[in-house]
Amino acid sequence: MGAAAVVAAGMGAGVSGCGDDSAASEAEQARKIPIDPSGHIVDRQQQATAALPFSDQQDFADADRGFVAALEPDVVKDANGNVVWDNDSYSFIQGTCPNSVHPSLWRQSQLVLEQGLYEVTPGFYQIRGLDLSNMTLIEGDTGVIVIDPLISTETARAGLDLYRANRGDKPVVGVIYTHSHVDHFGGVMGVTTIDDVRSGRVPVLAPQGFMDHAVSENIYAGTAMARRSAYMYGAALPRNDRGQVGAGLGMTTSTGTVSLIAPTRDITATGQEEVIDGVRIVFQMTPGTEAPSEMNFYFPDHRALCMAENATHTLHNILTLRGALVRDAHVWSRYLTEAINLFADKSDVAFASHHWPTWGTDRITEWLSLQRDTYAYLHDQTLRLLNQGYVGTEIAEMMRMPPALEAKWYNHGYYGSVSHDVKAVYQRYMGWFDGNPAHLWEHPPVEEGKRHVEAIGGAEEVLKKARAAYDDGDFRWTVQLLNYLIFAEPDNEKAKMLQASAFEQLGYGSENGTWRNFYLSGAYELRNGNFGTPTKPTSPTMIAALTVDQVFDSVAFLVDGPKAWDLHMVNDWVITDENTTYRTELRNGVLIHFVVGPDFTGPDPDATLTLSRPTLISVLTGAKPVEDAIASGDVRVSGDPGKLRQLTGVLDTPDPNFNIVTP
């Protein structure tokens, strides 16, 4: 469902059944309307406007440079006519910044909003503003190499069509994935086909480990990540100055068809050189930086450098708010140093998978150096302070960045933030526990809320104190107090509406695009109800890319432990298209699996199932009922056929609509 459809559905929730009671209907509609910015927020926005270097217009010149053509209109639809991308819906982001948006974020959104085909340097072109990320096209001897084909096949195809309309109908002769996040590979089938890749006509290059990380991140915790991503990117928010105004890294994510074609050529070492259609490329491996599998690369014949997502025009995430493995700020800074030493003095232009390029050797060196210094400073100072006994939340409040770093717009926290990056560094080294025994076994949110509300003196007293905090402009304390009350009394409408208003104030005042979206999404759900997950965490081609090990891992993570405590079964799975036998054993609510070698000795299985890997995926993901697969002969069973039904019978179903701001 597209963002506009989600908004329409959300705005309709709770309105039906009002009959002719116009007063009740008006009250219900009033309940849904975001509150105005408070005087406290207006004052803070004015202070930020006065303090920030808005006279520096270099980014606007760089963002405009090389413009060739725009997509008119900048709206992309899928085969069924559903809108999967609508950049034109942000046309209100122009002119003077309204009081409901942080002036720095407004500036960033104006820059990110610019869209179309841009020439980076002769033979190098970028598609910007057609998705969260950029797609880069490099002209070779006979065709074009595509770097990072966006999230959706529809937006990638629209971008390629725009390029061809202005540069000729050149065939795609290669694809490069810079790293393992979906906004850098999901649109691949919009620019090439599986047949072209399998035939060798279109090589697909990616850093070593790409497939493992691309699939596991989107499958293993995909449901929870997708639900939180809806908050992070403001998927259900209206697009206006009280709603979604971008995400700092890009405007938002497209909602089209996600695809995946496995790489045909792995990049395994820094210094590895490849040639595609006459274009020489030298690679730098950067695992553990912005993604577990990532790489930068350099074009020596063009003095052009691609920094993937390791250096952009924002402070990035050490731990993204949607959830992910914690990244290593220390190794990130070291790889940026290596990139400077390897490539900076040989480069005339540097571009990345987001935002606009940087031109000039000196400016490139400064940009990479100050980005490097930012991650190194956050890492090193967090380590210094945690070794003095401070915990993550304390360090986040104490951290002040050096003036030389703060002075650069590209070090501002539009996507990552100093606050949550510091907490992520702390988490990487120290984990969730801060060492205080009082925090070792705290009550969960509902029980904690009940006890806090009782200790404060009841619901009315909590509301009284929360209103006072709100009036004082202490919105952080307001939302903490009201969170206790909402989890203790989920139906307390006064608490939810005041909480929504406080979230809105915090959102209006956020320089960070994802913080704003989280706050305003929380407020939206309190006012309108749960909007669920607008996008699917997986796609058929991504599921089809699962290895057998990943299939069994995914199934193991779905076993309802208590339901399976008393089950014990041993099954062998003969995977016909891989000529391999796997053994699974379910015991004590745990499913283990391993490859059965020729010398394996063990107990006889309860059942042996012979099937292909695609059939295994279909059966264990629920795409095809077990009985149908057996009846059709897709699964041949020797032994007890009921064992497969027993296994699928204890698998849980993820909930893509779980609550976040209410219990």
Side-chain angles (χ1 to χ4, degrees):
M1 185 183 293
V6 173
V7 172
M11 291 302 290
V15 176
S16 61
C18 293
D20 296 326
D21 189 345
S22 59
S25 179
E26 288 177 9
E28 180 66 15
Q29 289 303 317
R31 177 182 183 273
K32 298 174 182 289
I33 298 173
I35 200 166
D36 292 338
S38 74
H40 299 285
I41 292 298
V42 172
D43 288 345
R44 293 174 201 172
Q45 313 290 47
Q46 291 173 347
Q47 291 168 14
T49 300
L52 292 168
F54 283 97
S55 60
D56 178 1
Q57 295 290 298
Q58 182 65 55
D59 284 337
F60 287 93
D62 288 343
D64 287 337
R65 180 170 173 173
F67 175 75
V68 176
L71 183 67
E72 300 289 354
D74 192 359
V75 177
V76 180
K77 298 180 180 180
D78 65 16
N80 296 318
N82 299 311
V83 174
V84 301
W85 177 256
D86 184 0
N87 210 50
D88 291 347
S89 63
Y90 295 104
S91 59
F92 65 92
I93 302 177
Q94 55 185 313
T96 303
C97 178
N99 289 328
S100 55
V101 185
H102 192 286
S104 180
L105 179 60
W106 186 258
R107 174 190 180 277
Q108 180 77 352
S109 294
Q110 288 179 316
L111 288 160
V112 174
L113 182 60
E114 296 194 18
Q115 61 90 2
L117 175 68
Y118 295 80
E119 184 182 49
V120 174
T121 196
F124 285 59
Y125 293 84
Q126 277 195 319
I127 297 292
R128 303 204 293 268
L130 266 69
D131 214 318
L132 182 73
S133 49
N134 299 336
M135 181 167 73
T136 305
L137 303 114
I138 314 300
E139 295 176 349
D141 292 340
T142 65
V144 63
I145 304 161
V146 175
I147 301 173
D148 287 354
L150 310 181
I151 294 175
S152 303
T153 59
E154 295 86 354
T155 54
R157 187 176 299 112
L160 183 59
D161 288 347
L162 178 62
Y163 166 81
R164 285 173 169 166
N166 290 276
R167 295 294 300 168
D169 192 14
K170 298 178 175 66
V172 171
V173 293
V175 174
I176 301 175
Y177 304 139
T178 60
H179 61 290
S180 53
H181 292 153
V182 70
D183 51 324
H184 305 274
F185 65 80
V188 64
M189 289 188 187
V191 300
T192 191
T193 66
I194 292 177
D195 287 344
D196 277 347
V197 172
R198 287 176 176 169
S199 71
R201 290 188 293 271
V202 178
V204 178
L205 281 64
Q208 186 176 40
F210 170 87
M211 283 297 287
D212 283 344
H213 293 295
V215 173
S216 63
E217 177 168 301
N218 289 280
I219 300 292
Y220 293 169
T223 300
M225 284 187 183
R227 171 72 170 121
R228 282 170 49 163
S229 290
Y231 265 56
M232 182 170 172
Y233 295 106
L237 296 176
R239 293 178 182 178
N240 56 43
D241 67 317
R242 302 289 177 91
Q244 210 264 14
V245 299
L249 194 66
M251 296 312 294
T252 189
T253 55
S254 65
T255 56
T257 305
V258 174
S259 60
L260 176 60
I261 298 178
T264 60
R265 198 180 304 176
D266 282 348
I267 305 304
T268 61
T270 294
Q272 182 174 336
E273 183 171 326
E274 300 287 340
V275 179
I276 306 176
D277 199 36
V279 178
R280 287 200 301 143
I281 313 171
V282 179
F283 293 89
Q284 178 200 9
M285 295 294 291
T286 64
T289 52
E290 190 271 336
S293 173
E294 189 152 357
M295 61 186 183
N296 304 324
F297 40 96
Y298 176 68
F299 299 86
D301 299 326
H302 302 272
R303 292 180 61 86
L305 173 62
C306 176
M307 287 304 298
E309 205 166 323
N310 288 319
T312 57
H313 289 272
T314 179
L315 169 62
H316 215 294
N317 292 297
I318 305 304
L319 176 56
T320 178
L321 300 182
R322 66 176 167 81
L325 298 176
V326 180
R327 298 158 187 174
D328 189 340
H330 181 56
V331 76
W332 196 332
S333 69
R334 290 171 65 93
Y335 280 126
L336 286 173
T337 296
E338 184 177 64
I340 293 166
N341 293 338
L342 287 173
F343 307 126
D345 65 348
K346 305 181 186 73
S347 299
D348 294 327
V349 63
F351 60 92
S353 301
H354 297 271
H355 302 141
W356 49 94
T358 299
W359 285 270
T361 303
D362 291 343
R363 289 183 60 214
I364 291 167
T365 303
E366 180 186 48
W367 170 55
L368 294 178
S369 298
L370 294 183
Q371 287 258 294
R372 182 268 318 276
D373 293 351
T374 297
Y375 296 115
Y377 190 87
L378 287 170
H379 175 273
D380 296 352
Q381 295 306 304
T382 300
L383 265 289
R384 177 179 69 85
L385 292 168
L386 74 81
N387 279 313
Q388 292 180 8
Y390 295 102
V391 301
T393 51
E394 292 174 316
I395 300 170
E397 296 298 309
M398 298 166 67
M399 187 68 68
R400 295 293 178 270
M401 300 302 289
L405 301 183
E406 277 198 329
K408 295 297 183 181
W409 288 109
Y410 51 68
N411 286 334
H412 281 237
Y414 303 114
Y415 194 59
S417 75
V418 169
S419 178
H420 75 256
D421 281 358
V422 163
K423 295 167 189 171
V425 174
Y426 183 92
Q427 179 179 329
R428 181 176 180 88
Y429 286 95
M430 304 302 290
W432 64 270
F433 179 47
D434 64 5
N436 184 340
H439 300 149
L440 188 57
W441 192 28
E442 294 179 313
H443 287 286
V446 171
E447 293 305 316
E448 180 184 45
K450 291 176 180 176
R451 285 161 174 78
H452 274 285
V453 170
E454 182 181 4
I456 291 170
E460 287 304 316
E461 190 62 27
V462 174
L463 279 167
K464 178 181 176 182
K465 287 179 165 56
R467 288 193 190 99
Y470 184 96
D471 291 341
D472 289 341
D474 190 353
F475 305 117
R476 293 170 67 182
W477 181 232
T478 304
V479 299
Q480 187 172 342
L481 277 172
L482 292 171
N483 192 62
Y484 297 140
L485 181 50
I486 290 168
F487 275 76
E489 298 182 8
D491 295 327
N492 192 312
E493 286 299 304
K494 292 180 180 179
K496 289 197 289 187
M497 292 305 97
L498 183 56
Q499 182 78 309
S501 297
F503 280 158
E504 284 156 359
Q505 300 306 320
L506 288 167
Y508 297 156
S510 294
E511 181 181 32
N512 184 285
T514 60
W515 281 41
R516 176 187 173 91
N517 290 336
F518 255 87
Y519 282 130
L520 297 186
S521 293
Y524 185 93
E525 289 203 334
L526 288 167
R527 294 191 185 281
N528 297 276
N530 186 318
F531 55 67
T533 302
T535 57
K536 293 182 179 180
T538 58
S539 70
T541 56
M542 194 172 296
I543 292 173
L546 289 167
T547 65
V548 175
D549 276 322
Q550 288 173 327
V551 172
F552 286 128
D553 276 344
S554 300
V555 171
F557 304 152
L558 295 177
V559 171
D560 184 331
K563 192 175 180 180
W565 281 346
D566 298 326
L567 283 179
H568 184 205
M569 68 178 77
V570 177
N571 293 330
D572 281 352
W573 307 74
V574 180
I575 311 301
T576 55
D577 49 343
E578 297 189 1
N579 196 28
T580 306
T581 299
Y582 286 77
R583 171 157 290 197
T584 61
E585 183 173 4
L586 180 65
R587 54 182 294 168
N588 299 319
V590 176
L591 183 72
I592 60 170
H593 60 91
F594 53 89
V595 175
V596 174
D599 300 324
F600 175 75
T601 58
D604 291 335
D606 297 310
T608 297
L609 303 103
T610 302
L611 68 174
S612 66
R613 183 178 65 89
T615 300
L616 175 76
I617 293 171
S618 294
V619 169
L620 292 185
T621 60
K624 187 168 188 176
V626 173
E627 291 79 5
D628 292 354
I630 294 174
S632 67
D634 290 338
V635 177
R636 302 192 301 276
V637 182
S638 63
D640 184 357
K643 291 299 180 183
L644 182 53
R645 297 186 188 90
Q646 278 187 297
L647 174 59
T648 57
V650 296
L651 301 184
D652 208 348
T653 302
D655 179 10
N657 303 316
F658 59 80
N659 289 333
I660 293 178
V661 291
T662 58

